[in-house]
Amino acid sequence: MRLSRYFLPLLKETPSDATIASHQLMLRAGMVRQNSAGIYTWLPLGHKVLKRIEQIVREEQNRAGAIEMLMPTIQSAELWKKSGRYDAYGPEMLRITDRHDREMLFGPTNEEMLTDVFSSFVRSYKDLPKILYHVQWKFRDERRPRFGVMRGREFLMKDAYSFDVTPEEARKSYNKMFVAYLNTFERLGLKAIPVRADTGPIGGDLSHEFVILAESGESAVYAHRDLVEMDAPGTNIDFDGDLQSVVDERTAFYSAADEMHDAEAFAAIPEDKRMEARGIEVGHIFYFGTKYSEPFDATVMGPDGKPNLVEMGSYGIGVSRLVGGIIEASHDENGIIWPTEVSPFDVGIINMRAGDAECDAACDDFYAKAQAAGLDPLYDDTSDRGGVKFSRMDLIGLPYQIIIGPRGLKDGIVEVKTRKTGERENLSPDAALAKLTA
Amino acid sequence: MRLSRYFLPLLKETPSDATIASHQLMLRAGMVRQNSAGIYTWLPLGHKVLKRIEQIVREEQNRAGAIEMLMPTIQSAELWKKSGRYDAYGPEMLRITDRHDREMLFGPTNEEMLTDVFSSFVRSYKDLPKILYHVQWKFRDERRPRFGVMRGREFLMKDAYSFDVTPEEARKSYNKMFVAYLNTFERLGLKAIPVRADTGPIGGDLSHEFVILAESGESAVYAHRDLVEMDAPGTNIDFDGDLQSVVDERTAFYSAADEMHDAEAFAAIPEDKRMEARGIEVGHIFYFGTKYSEPFDATVMGPDGKPNLVEMGSYGIGVSRLVGGIIEASHDENGIIWPTEVSPFDVGIINMRAGDAECDAACDDFYAKAQAAGLDPLYDDTSDRGGVKFSRMDLIGLPYQIIIGPRGLKDGIVEVKTRKTGERENLSPDAALAKLTA
């Protein structure tokens, strides 16, 4: 993409209502613009990051055997009256009356709706297990939306739902999602820790939150350092195999957020292994048994010909929240530092003298070759001065910058800057390209 | 995907409220399920088609130089009061009051919101031209939703908006979208005709609808046959070049829907060139000048240092509606016939004797090879009988079926059925694979 053709409206001033780094940086880097309290437009740069995160989440759901579908945003209140959550949800639920005076709502989550859909079709234990998911916009009418996309009202969530015949089978589905989540966050460049969680208004008796560490985190996290340092299971794992040991290996360590913290158990950990930090919740998984299958009479015939209520779980990842979460975990005083897998462009090309025939030709050539090599480059072909271009490129945080100017070209070299380390190298254009595609 | 692991809930009975073929077939083929009047869940098969259409629309928007972003579904009523459309829109607008008693609405379109966003950032003619678009769920509270996803209440739309300094430049943006639309519909396997259109409540003075021909079409279409038979401009066209001649070549022919029909002008066409048919609107493009830039004071400084109101247009494609539209245009008595580019899977593999070791091995092998060749196969590995498998595969309409049974395997052959023609061929597995990847 040529910057002259792109729409990248940077802000020079940091808006005063933006109090945390990710909110400030997303506004300054032209990623989002607020339309109403807690409701954002995703400008082109922000939209690209959002889509890249969504795609990684999708790939890891698919790998775990979950099947994608899509439920609508607007739901009938009937469904929620059936589960008893219509009244329980309170003012966070955006309630709507349509032209025929029917009570509707903008879905904050989809347990009721999918249980209803599922039970209308599935009759036999032979059709289970199933994990279905969608990535859809949700709405929670927060009393005080803040922190930009981290606590917005309209937000993008991946929510999966598992259906099984027995609690033992349901545990297998839970484990699949547990492992898929560890892999997902690792691919996103994040260190995410599973912590024991309160099941809250969703109900149920087995639940973990996935928390990433960041100073601005909303809650305190207490964990054994060995858990924090453990690698993800990896995408080669067999999801049909036994995952219990993989889960047990991790849940054996102490880890909890505020509300589930047990100071005594934590104190029993060797002092050098105790980690106390701030965390941001980016995922939450629940096993809740028959909580929803009961009111919706979601049963399947068992092998014995008798009906069984299906055992269910739900599994959420805050996709739009992750955009902010990744920035909280990865930025410096000059701007964002994108992990490679979610960066909106793979590389920035800076033309140091746009309008100079030789410099333009060299930049055009590098741009074309980078695209041909399968990279997605952002080419700053504007007539802005070098300082503006440098700070802009640092702000938007692409992993690499290729700086091409008349002086270097005389010696047949371009400069390659690695955003994260600030390291600079002088290389021939071919060697620079080879470095990017390595 | 193995069918035994997929979620494909077919209906045996055609629901009585489904009166047109696409609605019936989408329900029977397990593509969608209605949640409330005009509000649908996209089941896995339907979701895949929706996403493939969306991706083709996206690619052709990008090719024309439009830039993707994403606006939220929930909008502030303030924006619509500013344009005067808050009252004008009537009961089709889903109006919402949030917990702080602010008037909101579920966006039926985004002229106001994007003009507001754009004008808050853009100051100079140097930043133009720009075409921005998004693919987002919209809501129109139809009094009587019907025809399945063809006239639903919650629907997926691609809407693009162009911003230019002069009417002449705006015409160039209009032409880019005109050409992009012809290419988009051709790639979707559709014959779409541009017809002169009334500008309706959006306003403006240059507008075309894109209409596909189908017996169930909602409106009559009158056109010169040569226009109908003309090929799309093709994706190699230079969008920075002169597109006026490409547009003129087409608009020179008579073509109009009901409300713009001029019986006299139509009668002047040679009789064998007059085409009267039913059509389904799948796209609509408008140039509306300063209709929205005026109330939002969206101006840019011109080269002369004076502010100019930006000239705008908007360009919609009904993405979810197209799923139904394509089925209306392409089905037979046995089910759907997907054009290759939008088919949910590339090929169906039918195991004629699941459980038979040799047959399973041959199917597994073909399935693995098809995936390795970059195809996305649906493998019917269930224990259902052959007749059930055949009619199911015909119903869901994948372009090819590979039928693998013990008898053929003895001779080293599999059967390849082309869904559209019904043609059957006996080929070696390798030759069958070669045919699919040709």
Side-chain angles (χ1 to χ4, degrees):
Chain A
M1 175 62 66
R2 284 171 188 269
L3 185 56
S4 61
R5 297 186 160 218
Y6 202 50
F7 184 54
L8 183 69
L10 303 193
L11 291 189
K12 287 197 186 100
E13 307 288 320
T14 299
S16 62
D17 63 329
T19 56
I20 61 170
S22 62
H23 191 188
Q24 293 168 351
L25 289 170
M26 288 181 74
L27 292 170
R28 283 183 49 212
M31 291 180 64
V32 291
R33 179 177 183 274
Q34 180 171 291
N35 297 108
S36 312
I39 302 180
Y40 289 86
T41 283
W42 293 79
L43 298 166
L45 195 77
H47 177 256
K48 282 195 86 170
V49 176
L50 186 70
K51 283 285 153 180
R52 291 201 72 175
I53 295 173
E54 180 185 333
Q55 183 57 24
I56 290 171
V57 170
R58 172 176 292 123
E59 286 169 14
E60 296 310 320
Q61 289 292 296
N62 293 347
R63 200 189 307 274
I67 298 167
E68 189 170 9
M69 59 183 302
L70 186 62
M71 286 174 272
T73 63
I74 301 296
Q75 306 188 11
S76 162
E78 289 308 315
L79 292 171
W80 291 73
K81 289 179 178 171
K82 218 165 174 174
S83 72
R85 287 208 288 179
Y86 191 64
D87 294 327
Y89 225 91
E92 278 198 13
M93 178 179 278
L94 189 67
R95 293 156 208 262
I96 303 170
T97 306
D98 76 4
R99 68 188 289 169
H100 296 299
D101 281 331
R102 279 176 297 221
E103 289 175 310
M104 315 289 286
L105 55 97
F106 198 123
T109 175
N110 288 69
E111 281 80 7
E112 284 82 354
M113 181 174 267
L114 187 55
T115 308
D116 181 52
V117 168
F118 195 81
S119 69
S120 75
F121 289 124
V122 177
R123 298 276 169 271
S124 164
Y125 73 96
K126 290 181 195 159
D127 297 321
L128 301 185
K130 284 280 179 285
I131 305 177
L132 299 169
Y133 76 98
H134 74 159
V135 185
Q136 178 61 292
W137 292 89
K138 311 286 192 297
F139 202 97
R140 287 189 195 160
D141 202 356
E142 300 268 355
R143 196 173 59 82
R144 208 181 128 224
R146 59 191 184 281
F147 306 145
V149 301
M150 301 275 286
R151 191 173 283 275
R153 294 198 289 168
E154 187 168 331
F155 60 97
L156 187 62
M157 189 161 107
K158 183 287 299 177
D159 38 326
Y161 303 88
S162 64
F163 301 87
D164 286 280
V165 184
T166 63
E168 294 69 37
E169 290 290 311
R171 181 65 205 238
K172 287 185 193 166
S173 295
Y174 187 89
N175 290 346
K176 284 181 187 177
M177 288 294 110
F178 190 103
V179 170
Y181 275 37
L182 291 172
N183 286 340
T184 301
F185 297 122
E186 175 140 301
R187 278 192 64 193
L188 292 172
L190 294 168
K191 177 59 77 181
I193 315 163
V195 303
R196 283 185 306 141
D198 191 5
T199 55
I202 295 234
D205 54 13
L206 180 59
S207 176
H208 285 90
E209 281 179 15
F210 290 78
V211 168
I212 56 175
L213 305 182
E215 278 171 35
S216 60
E218 68 232 321
S219 53
V221 182
Y222 308 84
H224 194 293
R225 203 169 290 280
D226 290 355
L227 171 64
V228 182
E229 280 159 15
M230 201 178 279
D231 286 334
T235 54
N236 286 327
I237 200 163
D238 176 12
F239 279 95
D240 291 326
D242 176 27
L243 302 177
Q244 192 61 52
S245 58
V246 180
V247 173
D248 288 346
E249 231 186 316
R250 286 161 178 85
T251 53
F253 288 109
Y254 183 86
S255 83
D258 283 336
E259 74 277 15
M260 296 287 277
H261 183 47
D262 175 345
E264 212 169 309
F266 188 62
I269 301 174
E271 198 174 346
D272 62 324
K273 295 290 188 185
R274 275 180 231 154
M275 196 210 64
E276 232 184 294
R278 305 297 298 177
I280 299 169
E281 183 202 331
V282 288
H284 204 155
I285 64 178
F286 300 94
Y287 161 62
F288 46 70
T290 60
K291 182 178 161 81
Y292 297 96
S293 52
E294 233 178 278
F296 287 93
D297 196 27
T299 60
V300 292
M301 285 299 166
D304 56 1
K306 287 183 189 153
N308 298 281
L309 287 172
V310 295
E311 296 283 330
M312 292 177 57
S314 73
Y315 313 90
I317 291 182
V319 177
S320 50
R321 160 170 264 239
L322 270 167
V323 181
I326 291 170
I327 296 174
E328 288 298 333
S330 184
H331 68 274
D332 64 15
E333 66 282 8
N334 297 317
I336 302 163
I337 302 171
W338 290 117
T340 310
E341 281 238 42
V342 302
S343 182
F345 294 95
D346 298 316
V347 55
I349 302 168
I350 295 179
N351 183 337
M352 290 301 290
R353 197 172 294 169
D356 174 275
E358 202 193 342
C359 205
D360 287 352
C363 288
D364 289 355
D365 187 56
F366 195 90
Y367 180 55
K369 282 182 177 153
Q371 289 183 309
L375 296 171
D376 185 8
L378 179 66
Y379 169 21
D380 188 341
D381 59 343
T382 66
S383 55
D384 296 332
R385 36 184 199 84
V388 171
K389 293 187 177 192
F390 290 145
S391 58
R392 176 163 57 209
M393 215 45 108
D394 279 353
L395 174 61
I396 68 172
L398 312 183
Y400 295 101
Q401 302 169 13
I402 308 295
I403 301 153
I404 302 180
R407 244 179 302 173
L409 286 177
K410 264 183 211 151
D411 303 327
I413 57 148
V414 300
E415 197 178 4
V416 182
K417 178 178 167 185
T418 303
R419 173 67 181 88
K420 190 174 183 173
T421 59
E423 186 199 348
R424 292 158 182 276
E425 270 183 286
N426 287 322
L427 293 174
S428 73
D430 285 351
L433 194 60
K435 183 184 166 85
L436 296 176
T437 53
Chain B
M1 176 62 66
R2 285 171 188 270
L3 185 56
S4 61
R5 296 186 160 217
Y6 203 49
F7 183 54
L8 182 69
L10 303 192
L11 291 189
K12 288 199 184 98
E13 308 288 321
T14 299
S16 61
D17 64 329
T19 56
I20 62 169
S22 61
H23 191 186
Q24 293 168 353
L25 289 169
M26 287 180 74
L27 291 170
R28 283 183 48 212
M31 290 180 64
V32 289
R33 179 173 183 276
Q34 180 172 291
N35 298 107
S36 310
I39 302 180
Y40 289 86
T41 283
W42 294 78
L43 297 165
L45 196 76
H47 177 256
K48 282 195 88 171
V49 176
L50 186 71
K51 284 285 153 181
R52 290 201 72 175
I53 294 173
E54 180 185 332
Q55 183 57 22
I56 289 171
V57 170
R58 171 176 293 125
E59 286 169 13
E60 296 310 319
Q61 289 292 297
N62 293 347
R63 201 190 305 275
I67 298 167
E68 190 169 9
M69 59 184 300
L70 187 61
M71 287 173 273
T73 64
I74 299 298
Q75 306 187 10
S76 162
E78 290 307 315
L79 292 171
W80 292 72
K81 289 179 177 169
K82 218 165 176 175
S83 72
R85 288 208 288 179
Y86 191 63
D87 294 328
Y89 225 92
E92 277 197 12
M93 179 180 276
L94 190 67
R95 293 155 208 263
I96 302 168
T97 305
D98 76 3
R99 70 187 290 170
H100 296 299
D101 280 330
R102 279 175 296 223
E103 289 175 310
M104 314 290 284
L105 55 96
F106 198 124
T109 175
N110 288 69
E111 281 80 6
E112 284 82 354
M113 181 174 267
L114 188 54
T115 308
D116 182 51
V117 168
F118 195 80
S119 68
S120 76
F121 289 124
V122 177
R123 296 277 170 268
S124 163
Y125 73 96
K126 289 179 195 159
D127 297 321
L128 303 186
K130 284 282 180 285
I131 305 177
L132 299 170
Y133 76 98
H134 73 161
V135 184
Q136 178 61 292
W137 291 90
K138 312 287 194 293
F139 203 97
R140 288 188 193 160
D141 202 357
E142 300 267 355
R143 195 173 60 82
R144 208 182 128 224
R146 58 193 184 281
F147 306 146
V149 300
M150 301 277 285
R151 192 172 282 276
R153 293 198 290 168
E154 187 168 329
F155 60 98
L156 187 62
M157 190 160 108
K158 183 287 298 178
D159 37 328
Y161 303 88
S162 63
F163 300 86
D164 286 280
V165 184
T166 64
E168 295 69 38
E169 290 291 311
R171 181 65 204 240
K172 286 185 194 166
S173 294
Y174 187 89
N175 291 346
K176 283 181 188 177
M177 288 294 111
F178 189 104
V179 170
Y181 275 38
L182 292 172
N183 286 339
T184 301
F185 297 123
E186 176 141 301
R187 278 192 63 192
L188 293 172
L190 294 169
K191 178 57 80 179
I193 314 163
V195 304
R196 283 186 304 142
D198 191 6
T199 54
I202 295 234
D205 54 11
L206 180 60
S207 176
H208 285 89
E209 280 178 18
F210 289 78
V211 167
I212 57 173
L213 305 181
E215 277 170 36
S216 60
E218 66 231 320
S219 55
V221 182
Y222 307 85
H224 194 292
R225 203 169 291 280
D226 290 356
L227 172 63
V228 181
E229 280 158 14
M230 200 179 280
D231 285 335
T235 52
N236 286 327
I237 201 162
D238 175 13
F239 279 95
D240 292 325
D242 177 26
L243 302 177
Q244 192 61 52
S245 59
V246 180
V247 173
D248 289 345
E249 233 187 313
R250 286 162 177 85
T251 53
F253 288 110
Y254 183 87
S255 84
D258 283 336
E259 73 278 13
M260 296 287 278
H261 184 46
D262 174 347
E264 213 169 309
F266 188 62
I269 300 173
E271 199 176 342
D272 63 323
K273 295 291 190 186
R274 275 179 231 154
M275 197 211 63
E276 234 184 290
R278 305 296 298 176
I280 299 169
E281 183 203 331
V282 288
H284 204 155
I285 62 178
F286 299 94
Y287 161 61
F288 46 70
T290 60
K291 183 180 162 78
Y292 297 97
S293 51
E294 236 180 273
F296 286 93
D297 196 27
T299 60
V300 291
M301 286 298 166
D304 56 0
K306 286 181 189 154
N308 297 282
L309 287 171
V310 294
E311 296 282 331
M312 292 178 56
S314 73
Y315 313 90
I317 290 182
V319 177
S320 49
R321 160 169 264 236
L322 270 166
V323 181
I326 291 170
I327 296 174
E328 289 298 332
S330 184
H331 67 274
D332 64 15
E333 66 282 9
N334 297 319
I336 302 164
I337 304 171
W338 290 116
T340 310
E341 282 239 41
V342 301
S343 181
F345 294 94
D346 297 315
V347 56
I349 301 168
I350 295 179
N351 183 338
M352 291 299 290
R353 197 173 293 168
D356 174 275
E358 202 193 342
C359 206
D360 287 352
C363 287
D364 289 356
D365 187 56
F366 195 90
Y367 179 55
K369 282 181 177 156
Q371 288 182 310
L375 295 170
D376 185 10
L378 179 66
Y379 169 20
D380 188 341
D381 60 343
T382 67
S383 56
D384 295 332
R385 32 182 205 85
V388 170
K389 293 188 176 191
F390 291 144
S391 58
R392 176 163 57 208
M393 214 45 108
D394 279 354
L395 174 61
I396 68 171
L398 312 183
Y400 296 101
Q401 301 169 14
I402 308 293
I403 301 152
I404 302 179
R407 247 179 301 171
L409 286 177
K410 263 183 212 151
D411 303 326
I413 56 147
V414 300
E415 195 179 4
V416 182
K417 178 178 167 185
T418 304
R419 173 67 181 86
K420 189 173 182 173
T421 59
E423 187 199 346
R424 291 159 182 277
E425 272 182 285
N426 287 320
L427 294 174
S428 72
D430 285 351
L433 194 61
K435 184 184 165 88
L436 295 176
T437 53

